[in-house]
């Protein structure tokens, strides 16, 4: 059994959080691109919420603000959309009504944010690919607690692997999907303990089973719904169900890369990546290589947005819209709105936006 007392790293770091005061929060000094009245209106389906075709770091109104490869989104209790602005190494805050964007966290010690989830205490938990000293590598991943009101970020678990998915459990512990080491772990912020739940450390593959007998292949997004964890098993083209005692089973997807709506067992996925759950238990996922957004309701997978072609198109008709990056996803508690981080996938392309999807 692997156990890490992750909070011991805080003593070495002096327990110091980082704040956005390390940066002026206003972006670069270059003139902002045209925006405001020149941007398309919001649609009744899929719309650009913030960002644009070119990477940059600019705060401001919709059409002026710029992001650099946004990889994830989280919806705060107050309705604000928080964005992991990966290549800028910052957390951004976006007004869900008008797209106005500001900087929440900007610090030299806070680099390459990815996974995000809110706890019941209103705290935002974020993973970064680098540790507070800027070190990178397969064990450099760090989990931070962000107080959005105080605009501070404090490292909780340092150099624990490479988290790509976080989900807060009802008891306050945090489930972590480590995409590089192919395991699901549980971190307890109260004690600093990091314990294995399921998967074989560095044992990439596919197997249902209990604990270390189970295998994943690049687990990404993770969500807690209906009393269990659901994991986007990226390279296995499946969603997996993990109970809190570590039992792993296949939840959805035939295991063959492809596209097809239908029953959980027969539906086809192609590298599912982001996951989010509505209050009623519906699951929303980004189907990365199908360039679509899918929803699981009851025992059925259905497509709710995207025409299957990579690109950028807003549309009143959700199924005519185009996406590119769609790495991370968030959903309003009532399922009425969905938000997608539609970034560049780390490529030199013109996709650096957050999109909103109106469901009603």
């Amino acid at each position: 059994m692997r156990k890490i007392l992750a909070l011991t790293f805080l003593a070495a770091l002096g327990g110091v959080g980082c704040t956005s005061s390390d940066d002026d929060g206003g972006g670069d000094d270059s003139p902002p691109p045209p925006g405001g009245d020149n941007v398309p209106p919001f649609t009744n389906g899929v719309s650009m919420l913030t960002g644009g075709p070119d990477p940059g770091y600019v705060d401001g109104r919709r059409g002026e603000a710029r992001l650099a490869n946004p990889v994830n989104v989280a919806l705060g209790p107050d309705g604000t959309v928080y964005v992991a602005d990966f290549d800028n190494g910052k957390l951004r805050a976006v007004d869900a009504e008008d797209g106005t964007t500001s900087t929440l966290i900007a610090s030299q010690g806070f680099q390459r944010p990815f996974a995000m989830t809110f706890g019941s205490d209103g705290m935002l938990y974020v993973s970064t690919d680098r540790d507070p000293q800027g070190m990178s590598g397969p064990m450099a991943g760090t989990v931070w607690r962000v107080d959005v009101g105080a605009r501070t970020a404090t490292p909780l678990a340092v150099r624990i692997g490479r988290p790509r998915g976080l989900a807060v459990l009802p008891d306050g512990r945090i489930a972590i999907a480590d995409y590089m080491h192919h395991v699901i772990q549980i971190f307890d912020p109260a004690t600093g303990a990091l314990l294995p739940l399921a998967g074989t450390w560095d044992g990439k593959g596919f197997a249902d089973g209990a604990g270390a007998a189970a295998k994943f292949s690049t687990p990404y997004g993770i969500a807690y719904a209906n009393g269990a964890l659901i994991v986007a098993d990226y390279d296995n083209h499946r969603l997996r169900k993990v109970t809190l005692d570590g039992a792993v089973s296949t939840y959805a997807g035939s295991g063959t890369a492809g596209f097809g709506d239908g029953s959980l067992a027969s539906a086809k996925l192609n590298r599912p990546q982001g996951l989010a759950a509505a209050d009623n238990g519906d699951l929303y996922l980004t189907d990365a290589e199908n360039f679509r957004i899918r929803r699981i309701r009851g025992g059925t997978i259905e497509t709710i947005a995207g025409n299957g072609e990579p690109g950028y198109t807003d549309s009143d008709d959700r199924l005519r819209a185009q996406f590119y990056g769609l790495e991370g996803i968030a959903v309003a508690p009532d399922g009425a709105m969905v938000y997608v981080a539609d970034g560049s996938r780390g490529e030199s392309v013109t996709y650096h936006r957050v999109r909103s999807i109106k469901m009603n």
Side-chain angles (χ1 to χ4, degrees), residues 276-295:
D279 280 355
N280 67 356
D282 286 354
L283 287 168
Y284 295 76
L285 62 138
T286 62
D287 196 1
E289 293 304 318
N290 279 321
F291 300 97
R292 291 176 166 101
I293 312 300
R294 318 283 290 275
R295 178 174 65 188

Side-chain angles (χ1 to χ4, degrees), residues 54-252:
D54 302 314
Y57 172 43
V58 180
D59 283 336
R61 61 181 178 167
R62 181 173 179 258
E64 295 175 349
R66 287 295 182 263
L67 311 169
N69 189 23
V71 293
N72 215 338
V73 284
L75 188 61
D78 64 349
T80 299
V81 179
Y82 295 91
V83 181
D85 195 1
F86 189 80
D87 286 353
N88 278 326
K90 295 173 173 64
L91 283 186
R92 314 289 289 277
V94 183
D95 187 305
E97 297 297 324
D98 63 16
T100 300
T101 301
S102 60
T103 299
L104 179 70
I105 300 293
S107 171
Q108 290 184 348
F110 185 91
Q111 294 296 318
R112 297 187 176 274
F114 203 103
M116 299 193 296
T117 187
F118 270 94
S120 59
D121 57 358
M123 294 291 114
L124 175 61
Y125 296 90
V126 182
S127 75
T128 57
D129 280 1
R130 293 181 178 171
D131 71 13
Q133 285 74 44
M135 297 292 290
S136 60
M139 289 300 297
T142 297
V143 175
W144 304 70
R145 181 167 53 212
V146 175
D147 186 325
V148 298
R151 301 164 68 90
T152 60
T154 304
L156 297 181
V158 179
R159 306 182 193 108
I160 61 170
R162 289 293 288 275
R164 270 295 189 266
L166 301 176
V168 175
L169 302 175
D171 62 6
R173 294 181 300 159
I174 302 171
I176 299 173
D178 187 325
Y179 86 118
M180 189 169 285
H181 301 288
H182 315 290
V183 294
I184 310 301
Q185 302 180 91
I186 300 291
F187 173 65
D188 189 342
T191 66
L194 181 68
L195 299 174
L197 179 65
T200 303
W201 185 266
D202 285 341
K204 184 176 183 178
F206 172 75
D208 287 336
K215 288 189 176 183
F216 300 88
S217 186
T218 320
Y220 258 87
I222 187 170
Y224 180 80
N226 304 315
L229 294 164
I230 306 299
V231 179
D233 198 1
Y234 184 81
D235 281 329
N236 280 322
H237 313 292
R238 293 175 169 97
L239 300 184
R240 313 286 292 281
K241 179 179 178 179
V242 185
T243 64
L244 296 185
D245 60 2
V248 179
S249 57
T250 296
Y251 182 72

Side-chain angles (χ1 to χ4, degrees), residues 241-318:
K241 179 179 178 179
V242 185
T243 64
L244 296 185
D245 60 2
V248 179
S249 57
T250 296
Y251 182 72
S254 66
T256 301
F259 171 71
D261 288 336
S263 70
L264 297 184
S266 65
K268 290 185 178 181
L269 307 171
N270 195 346
R271 292 187 166 165
Q273 191 159 358
L275 271 176
D279 280 355
N280 67 356
D282 286 354
L283 287 168
Y284 295 76
L285 62 138
T286 62
D287 196 1
E289 293 304 318
N290 279 321
F291 300 97
R292 291 176 166 101
I293 312 300
R294 318 283 290 275
R295 178 174 65 188
I296 297 177
R297 173 170 286 176
T300 302
I301 296 180
E302 60 181 331
T303 299
I304 62 168
N307 69 1
E309 296 294 328
Y312 166 64
T313 301
D314 288 342
S315 179
D316 288 318
D317 183 347
R318 301 192 306 267

